[in-house]
Amino acid sequence: MFELIFILVFIATLLVTGITMMTVLAATVLSFLVLSVLGMVGVVFKLLPWLIVIAVGVWFFKNYVYSPR
């Protein structure tokens, strides 16, 4: 949500300062791509402890619980 608000404020600032429309579109696309990638990295860091717990659980199940026939 923060990324969307930032992009909207960024576009409004560029439009008010009198930058050309092509430059505004290029800056909008670039900022959207950068913030999307950074948002995805943030989600991965937020989920990292759960991913580690799941990986340890799968390893424990494969090595100590499940016995192949």
Side-chain angles (χ1 to χ4, degrees), residues 7-22:
I7 289 176
L8 291 175
V9 170
F10 182 63
I11 293 169
T13 304
L14 288 176
L15 289 173
V16 169
T17 56
I19 307 294
T20 62
M21 196 60 174
M22 193 64 186

Side-chain angles (χ1 to χ4, degrees), residues 24-58:
V24 170
L25 289 175
T28 302
V29 169
L30 183 64
S31 66
F32 181 76
L33 291 174
V34 168
L35 288 176
S36 295
V37 170
L38 291 176
M40 287 183 227
V41 169
V43 169
V44 168
F45 279 135
K46 186 182 268 190
L47 292 176
L48 192 59
W50 291 107
L51 294 173
I52 292 171
V53 167
I54 291 169
V56 168
V58 168

